[in-house]
Amino acid sequence: MSDTDTIQSVLGFMPPFATTMGMTVDHMHGGLPVIAYDYGPQVMGRPGFLHGGALSGLLEISAIAALRVTLGQDESNLKIKPVNITINFMRGGRELRTYALGEVTRIGRRVANVEAKAWQDDPAKPIATVFMNFLLSAPRPA
Amino acid sequence: MTDPTPDSAEPSSGFDPSMFQTMMSSHGHSGHLGIHYHAHGDNWVELALPYSDALIGDVDSGVIASGPIISLMDNATSVSVWTAIGKFRPQVTLDLRVDYMRPATPGKTVFGRGECYKTTRSMAFVRGVAHDGDPDDPVAHVAGTFIRVENFLG
């Protein structure tokens, strides 16, 4: 799939929660989507800073998007179920556009391990990272 | 839908989580999600996240995304720290782990109960449960830590 097609497919499976938070695919990086949103009241925590939960939500969507894209078209029917997430906060998110990129560490038969990091002006200075575990299952036969 | 009757203790101190959360819920991310105060005790706070189409994570089932549950639990555990120590103390989330037991039932309010079980000079240790009516059938469990900071708004 071309990057343009991948972006369209990621935008296609973004749920209402992601779109109402202003999430979009900013660009592709190494074949994986960089998800981003702008600062605004919907992501503000304490005045002047991103809400940790809003940041976690962005990271989670970027992890799911990375997993979906990595699984690819062949396994697009596979159901992915988040089992858990661990978020580490490194820096307060400021009133800037925020980016998040997920990376699949391993896809097994039943479990996928995915990491993601979020940054603002400098990708080398992450503001938060997550580890997520997903359960993979084939869709129930109709 | 009506919420179960809150089982609240009187504020034990100078920190009132109901007033604080009402202030926080009027704007920002908490306001966007519609999170509001529900109940509290000496070292715990329960907040409510009403069901909304804007929170949906799975269009086919109508189940809400897990992101809003993280936000709910981040808020509930954070406010539980100040409730436990009886005053506001600037802090930020250091880490948070969320285990998802099951999807929240579409249409139901999700309640997030955060509890602060230990504080030190620098740290606060928290845990919590998200449920949609029956705390014995939780949607998620969380554990996390907050670190005290000098400059909250810097």
Side-chain angles (χ1 to χ4, degrees), chain A residues 42 44 46 51 60 85 87, chain B residues 29 66 75 96 98 100 152:
Chain A
Q42 74 284 354
M44 187 187 82
R46 62 196 151 115
H51 189 286
E60 197 169 53
I85 179 168
I87 311 126
Chain B
H29 180 61
S66 37
N75 282 13
L96 189 66
V98 185
Y100 300 115
F152 194 53

Side-chain angles (χ1 to χ4, degrees), chain A residues 21 37-45 49-50 95-96, chain B residues 28-29:
Chain A
M21 291 279 290
Y37 57 40
D38 285 323
Y39 190 85
Q42 74 284 354
V43 299
M44 187 187 82
F49 289 87
L50 272 184
E95 294 169 290
L96 298 168
Chain B
H29 180 61

Side-chain angles (χ1 to χ4, degrees), chain B residues 124-141:
Chain B
F125 300 88
V126 298
R127 58 190 168 212
V129 170
H131 64 88
D132 52 15
D134 179 3
D136 293 330
D137 183 20
V139 167
H141 272 263

Side-chain angles (χ1 to χ4, degrees), chain A:
Chain A
M1 229 196 272
S2 74
D3 278 1
T4 316
D5 290 344
T6 306
I7 289 174
Q8 283 312 312
S9 103
V10 172
L11 289 173
F13 67 64
M14 276 217 192
F17 165 66
T19 48
T20 59
M21 291 279 290
M23 293 182 206
T24 185
V25 180
D26 189 85
H27 62 279
M28 296 293 288
H29 180 87
L32 293 171
V34 174
I35 313 293
Y37 57 40
D38 285 323
Y39 190 85
Q42 74 284 354
V43 299
M44 187 187 82
R46 62 196 151 115
F49 289 87
L50 272 184
H51 189 286
L55 184 52
S56 307
L58 178 70
L59 281 156
E60 197 169 53
I61 294 292
S62 78
I64 293 169
L67 178 56
R68 271 277 165 236
V69 170
T70 304
L71 285 168
Q73 281 172 310
D74 297 346
E75 318 220 48
S76 62
N77 285 330
L78 212 58
K79 282 191 84 86
I80 60 173
K81 192 189 283 182
V83 178
N84 50 34
I85 179 168
T86 305
I87 311 126
N88 284 297
F89 297 96
M90 280 104 191
R91 293 174 176 85
R94 306 306 302 252
E95 294 169 290
L96 298 168
R97 188 166 172 85
T98 307
Y99 305 87
L101 174 62
E103 186 185 6
V104 178
T105 309
R106 175 180 176 267
I107 295 177
R109 204 166 53 83
R110 301 182 61 207
V111 170
N113 315 102
V114 184
E115 299 184 28
K117 74 170 183 175
W119 70 93
Q120 293 188 316
D121 38 10
D122 183 356
K125 289 182 179 167
I127 59 172
T129 61
V130 302
F131 290 89
M132 285 192 81
N133 294 313
F134 293 89
L135 203 55
L136 308 174
S137 58
R140 290 200 188 101

Side-chain angles (χ1 to χ4, degrees), chain B residues 37-120:
Chain B
Y37 170 83
H38 184 246
H40 77 278
D42 286 345
N43 69 341
W44 60 268
V45 173
E46 194 163 271
L47 305 179
L49 171 72
Y51 185 79
S52 154
D53 289 348
L55 305 183
I56 289 175
D58 181 43
V59 178
D60 296 339
S61 62
V63 170
I64 64 166
S66 37
I69 293 176
I70 306 177
S71 301
L72 174 72
M73 298 316 294
D74 188 25
N75 282 13
T77 52
S78 176
V79 181
S80 79
V81 175
W82 303 320
T83 305
I85 63 177
K87 61 175 200 275
F88 178 80
R89 168 173 108 169
Q91 64 182 8
V92 294
T93 322
L94 185 61
D95 76 332
L96 189 66
R97 175 193 167 108
V98 185
D99 288 289
Y100 300 115
M101 322 276 100
R102 64 173 178 85
T105 311
K108 283 193 171 180
T109 294
V110 178
F111 298 95
R113 180 181 287 219
E115 177 195 350
C116 175
Y117 62 91
K118 173 73 182 171
T119 55
T120 65

